[in-house]
Amino acid sequence: MSDTVRAWRHIPQRYNLIGSKCEQCGKVFFPSRIICPECRRKGQLEDIKLSGKGKIYTYSVITTPTDEFKEIAPYVVAIVELEEGAKVTTQIVDCNPEDVQIGDEVEMVFRRIREEGKDGVISYGFKFKLNK
């Protein structure tokens, strides 16, 4: 197994939504932070595993993508507000773009992101799907 693959598997954030919760003001953020952007407290943040469930806050349908994503166009990129209050920018998968609406319930899924390098290392990460 290559060092790249081994290192990749040891990154918890790749397989979980790990955010931060401020012990002072109670706000939850994603990605993890070391300083609360709300009350500016350093060192009073704890890691929190986010549920991966939420609602579409806003979205856009990408019809003219970069070369890397031409094969999957059109596709939906959304800001999802998670149950805990944090917002995540993500791709919405397994749906027709015209079926997506603001306020739709969604849940996190793992999907292929890309294939890299001469070894063909496949990177996976989180995306979201409609929960209908």
Side-chain angles (χ1 to χ4, degrees):
M1 182 181 296
S2 75
D3 289 335
T4 303
V5 173
R6 189 174 293 113
W8 193 257
R9 289 190 175 160
H10 292 292
I11 301 173
Q13 292 80 0
R14 278 310 207 190
Y15 299 99
N16 297 290
L17 282 179
I18 305 294
S20 296
K21 182 175 183 178
C22 180
E23 295 174 1
Q24 181 71 28
C25 70
K27 296 279 186 174
V28 177
F29 305 97
F30 180 84
S32 295
R33 315 273 171 103
I34 59 170
I35 297 175
C36 176
E38 200 66 28
C39 66
R40 303 288 184 209
R41 300 286 179 174
K42 184 175 183 179
Q44 294 186 357
L45 292 156
E46 63 178 335
D47 284 346
I48 180 173
K49 183 178 177 183
L50 303 168
S51 68
K53 296 181 180 185
K55 293 184 178 185
I56 294 178
Y57 183 79
T58 190
Y59 72 95
S60 183
V61 177
I62 308 300
T63 57
T64 310
T66 62
D67 290 341
E68 185 177 2
F69 298 103
K70 281 187 178 179
E71 293 177 15
I72 63 170
Y75 59 93
V76 178
V77 174
I79 296 176
V80 170
E81 184 170 20
L82 299 172
E83 290 177 337
E84 297 84 359
K87 291 185 177 83
V88 177
T89 303
T90 185
Q91 182 182 354
I92 306 297
V93 296
D94 302 341
C95 67
N96 292 321
E98 50 275 349
D99 294 338
V100 176
Q101 299 291 320
I102 291 174
D104 281 349
E105 291 186 5
V106 292
E107 63 184 342
M108 184 184 75
V109 293
F110 286 101
R111 293 289 191 268
R112 178 182 171 154
I113 303 292
R114 72 174 74 87
E115 189 172 324
E116 298 179 40
K118 63 181 180 180
D119 293 334
V121 175
I122 298 173
S123 299
Y124 291 89
F126 66 86
K127 295 183 181 185
F128 281 72
K129 70 174 188 159
L130 296 177
N131 196 5
K132 291 186 177 183

